[in-house]
Amino acid sequence: MSQEVKRFHPAWIAVELFALMKNSIAIFLFLFVLKINSTSDWIVWGRYLFLIGIAWTLIVIVLKWFLYRYEVVGDSFVLKEGVFVKEQRTVSFDKIQNHHSKTTFIHKWFGLTSLTLETGTTVEGSAVNFPVLTVSEKERILSKLLDKDLSEGDVDQEKKEYGGVKKVHSRSSKKDLLKASFTSLSFLAIFPLLTTIYFNLVDFFNIEDTAEGAFDYLLLHWWMLIILFVLAMVISVGIGYLQTTIKYGNYEISDDSERIYIKKGVGSTSSFAISKEKVQAIVVEQSLVKRLLGLASIKLISVGEMKTEEQETSSLYPFMSKHEAYLLLETLLPQYPIQEKMERFPIKVLWYKLLVPYYFTIIAAVGLFIFKKEWLWAAGVVFAISLVTRVLDYFFTSYLRQGNTVQIRKGGLTNETFITHYNRIQQVSVEHSWLQRRFGIATLYFQNRANPLHISELNGVSKDEAEEFYNWFRGKRERLVRRERVS
């Protein structure tokens, strides 16, 4: 299997230029609009450096488009990169874990999209990026990756699956988006936005006296203050709903026999596909607000190198009801059964947690004593918060080892339930300090492959259970290695 060496679509230059404009617009406005009459040396030199930087970046963009190539050779992608230092990478198909696609506004203008293939290594820059592709080229790359012959007529048939029949399990509705906009508290974003605008205007205009006068007037006419507050809240909710719709609109979760597919976004869209076999673990997160509303966010842990946005896309719909999320998870990944009833730690673990030194409180107290004695009372507040956090952490921490899976739950204000399979655990270690030995408990650590490495910590497990867990994992790993050698 091979194809000719290809450059990216010429629209890549437009995509890069748009990114350059977006990243430099603030500096341009400062140097050439807000400081247009300034003749100070650092402003003048700043303008020269800015123009030189822009010119240099434009040259590099054109050179990168001309020099960057890719081709498919056998069962590998070969990428030729670098402008002044040439680099050639060969990435085997079997190293690809997940694929992520994003279509921004500018991609849509040209009828294009982007594709990122995440590899199983945790080395930075190991992913294969195709920043600009035609949709047919993206489908052709994926078909080669999955060793499936795709004809021209198959390209737009989204219903047709790479590994079987796709089944849609969940789609976001308007009601879901409204609930999500309140739960995410995105409608409150207007207040820091107005504050930022105010303080930026203060730097250039004398509006403090005007603002104080207007505030005094509103205090005297309180009914106007109420109307303005209600109006501000309506605008805030509208902005929050719009933000949530752009980010989570058209959310769709589907699967086939091999993969889970997640799509989201209005205008700028993104999609993510992960092999079910490559899922390393599952994390169920519940903030305090989500716990009160019965919502949960489920994150799939995989090995591939993912940016923050891709990690968000790899999560199942983050504003789904907990019951619905558990049912969906049971359908998509039945090998990770989540149990609500788990084993709590004995009361002696709470006393242990309360006796562990309060390092942060000590540092805060010493710092305040040296630099701000009149604020020393704040150390008491820090101590009280630490105390409450430890108590909550004890009451919400639980543990379960069942069959081939391990499940832990911890966290006071933000609760997290983590579940993984024994053959996804890379390493297990047990630690017990002098104080822990007095209470007959230990701290259990186990690692899952991810980027960055995911380390789970269970503080307070009994010494006997820690030893039993260690022997359980070692026995299963030895049997797994023997089976792999035989096969």
Side-chain angles (χ1 to χ4, degrees):
M1 184 185 297
S2 64
Q3 67 172 44
E4 60 179 330
V5 180
K6 289 190 174 184
R7 287 194 184 97
F8 294 120
H9 193 281
W12 185 47
I13 296 175
V15 173
E16 291 291 306
L17 286 177
F18 181 76
L20 176 63
M21 286 173 58
K22 190 173 70 174
N23 295 331
S24 57
I25 187 69
I27 301 175
F28 174 81
L29 288 174
F30 179 76
L31 293 175
F32 294 96
V33 178
L34 296 175
K35 295 291 183 182
I36 189 170
N37 296 321
S38 175
T39 56
S40 57
D41 291 342
W42 71 276
I43 291 290
V44 173
W45 277 105
R47 290 171 185 156
Y48 285 131
L49 290 174
F50 177 79
L51 293 174
I52 292 170
I54 292 291
W56 176 251
T57 307
L58 291 174
I59 293 170
V60 171
I61 288 173
V62 175
L63 287 175
K64 282 169 78 174
W65 173 78
F66 186 75
L67 296 172
Y68 279 37
R69 314 279 182 88
Y70 69 91
E71 63 178 323
V72 176
V73 179
D75 59 352
S76 302
F77 292 108
V78 177
L79 301 123
K80 297 175 181 178
E81 301 166 323
V83 175
F84 303 104
V85 178
K86 300 289 185 184
E87 180 186 356
Q88 179 166 315
R89 285 195 294 148
T90 301
V91 180
S92 177
F93 289 173
D94 58 10
K95 299 296 181 188
I96 306 297
Q97 299 276 331
N98 320 310
H99 60 83
H100 177 266
S101 176
K102 184 176 181 183
T103 307
T104 62
F105 288 106
I106 196 160
H107 281 116
K108 282 193 171 180
W109 289 344
F110 293 99
L112 302 168
T113 187
S114 66
L115 177 66
T116 300
L117 306 176
E118 295 157 2
T119 63
T121 61
T122 56
V123 179
E124 187 178 354
S126 58
V128 181
N129 293 308
F130 300 94
V132 176
L133 289 173
T134 62
V135 176
S136 59
E137 178 67 3
K138 185 194 87 171
E139 298 295 337
R140 225 178 303 282
I141 288 173
L142 291 176
S143 69
K144 290 180 184 299
L145 180 65
L146 299 165
D147 195 22
K148 187 177 186 301
D149 187 21
L150 191 69
S151 64
E152 290 291 338
D154 294 327
V155 170
D156 296 326
Q157 295 179 15
E158 291 188 4
K159 298 286 182 185
K160 194 155 186 171
E161 273 311 310
Y162 303 110
V165 178
K166 181 188 279 188
K167 184 177 180 182
V168 177
H169 296 280
S170 177
R171 282 194 179 99
S172 60
S173 63
K174 287 183 180 178
K175 185 181 175 184
D176 293 330
L177 293 173
L178 190 61
K179 192 193 297 180
S181 65
F182 277 99
T183 310
S184 65
L185 304 179
S186 57
F187 60 90
L188 297 178
I190 191 172
F191 296 108
L193 181 66
L194 290 175
T195 306
T196 304
I197 292 172
Y198 173 80
F199 283 111
N200 277 287
L201 288 177
V202 163
D203 291 339
F204 301 103
F205 305 102
N206 184 22
I207 63 172
E208 285 187 341
D209 294 339
T210 307
E212 286 178 8
F215 186 69
D216 291 340
Y217 179 83
L218 289 173
L219 286 178
L220 291 174
H221 301 78
W222 56 268
W223 56 273
M224 288 185 66
L225 193 62
I226 293 173
I227 291 174
L228 286 175
F229 178 77
V230 172
L231 189 63
M233 288 305 296
V234 170
I235 295 172
S236 301
V237 170
I239 292 173
Y241 182 75
L242 186 64
Q243 283 182 324
T244 308
T245 302
I246 291 172
K247 192 172 182 180
Y248 296 109
N250 296 330
Y251 212 104
E252 181 184 287
I253 302 169
S254 58
D255 80 329
D256 60 21
S257 59
E258 296 178 358
R259 288 177 171 73
I260 298 171
Y261 304 89
I262 302 170
K263 292 199 300 186
K264 69 167 189 174
V266 174
S268 177
T269 61
S270 61
S271 62
F272 179 79
I274 181 172
S275 170
K276 292 179 180 179
E277 288 187 358
K278 306 299 183 185
V279 175
Q280 297 290 309
I282 292 169
V283 177
V284 181
E285 290 179 339
Q286 284 189 291
S287 62
L288 186 61
V289 176
K290 285 187 177 180
R291 281 216 297 275
L292 292 172
L293 296 174
L295 304 178
S297 170
I298 296 182
K299 189 188 296 181
L300 307 179
I301 304 292
S302 66
V303 179
E305 179 198 356
M306 287 191 283
K307 298 174 183 175
T308 304
E309 185 181 354
E310 293 164 356
Q311 289 174 347
E312 286 182 3
T313 309
S314 69
S315 301
L316 302 187
Y317 188 64
F319 304 102
M320 194 178 290
S321 76
K322 185 179 174 182
H323 177 67
E324 190 182 351
Y326 278 15
L327 287 177
L328 179 62
L329 200 56
E330 192 177 319
T331 305
L332 297 176
L333 296 165
Q335 67 271 35
Y336 291 101
I338 295 185
Q339 302 294 330
E340 273 300 290
K341 289 185 179 178
M342 300 170 65
E343 295 176 15
R344 291 271 306 279
F345 291 155
I347 194 69
K348 68 178 181 180
V349 177
L350 174 60
W351 296 117
Y352 158 73
K353 286 178 183 286
L354 294 175
L355 287 175
V356 172
Y358 295 79
Y359 295 112
F360 189 70
T361 304
I362 294 170
I363 292 171
V366 171
L368 289 169
F369 181 79
I370 296 173
F371 300 106
K372 207 82 174 174
K373 276 186 181 178
E374 62 272 25
W375 283 79
L376 198 56
W377 58 268
V381 176
V382 174
F383 175 72
I385 293 172
S386 302
L387 208 62
V388 171
T389 304
R390 293 183 184 201
V391 172
L392 289 175
D393 183 60
Y394 166 75
F395 280 105
F396 285 101
T397 299
S398 49
Y399 164 74
L400 181 66
R401 179 162 55 86
Q402 186 179 43
N404 294 324
T405 61
V406 181
Q407 182 175 320
I408 61 175
R409 179 175 294 156
K410 60 182 182 178
L413 297 177
T414 297
N415 193 246
E416 179 184 294
T417 303
F418 177 86
I419 179 168
T420 188
H421 204 270
Y422 84 89
N423 59 12
R424 302 300 186 194
I425 299 174
Q426 299 294 305
Q427 182 178 318
V428 171
S429 59
V430 178
E431 290 181 4
H432 43 92
S433 63
W434 176 86
L435 187 59
Q436 285 178 321
R437 286 198 294 274
R438 301 285 80 77
F439 283 86
I441 59 175
T443 301
L444 187 64
Y445 297 94
F446 50 93
Q447 301 177 0
N448 286 75
R449 288 182 66 198
N451 192 8
L453 188 69
H454 192 286
I455 301 175
S456 303
E457 176 186 342
L458 188 62
N459 185 6
V461 67
S462 71
K463 190 179 173 183
D464 293 338
E465 172 57 22
E467 186 178 348
E468 200 174 321
F469 181 95
Y470 186 85
N471 292 328
W472 168 81
F473 173 73
R474 190 176 64 178
K476 284 191 175 292
R477 290 298 297 179
E478 286 175 353
R479 285 194 290 275
L480 182 66
V481 170
R482 277 201 297 272
R483 280 203 300 272
E484 288 176 349
R485 283 176 180 170
V486 170
S487 61

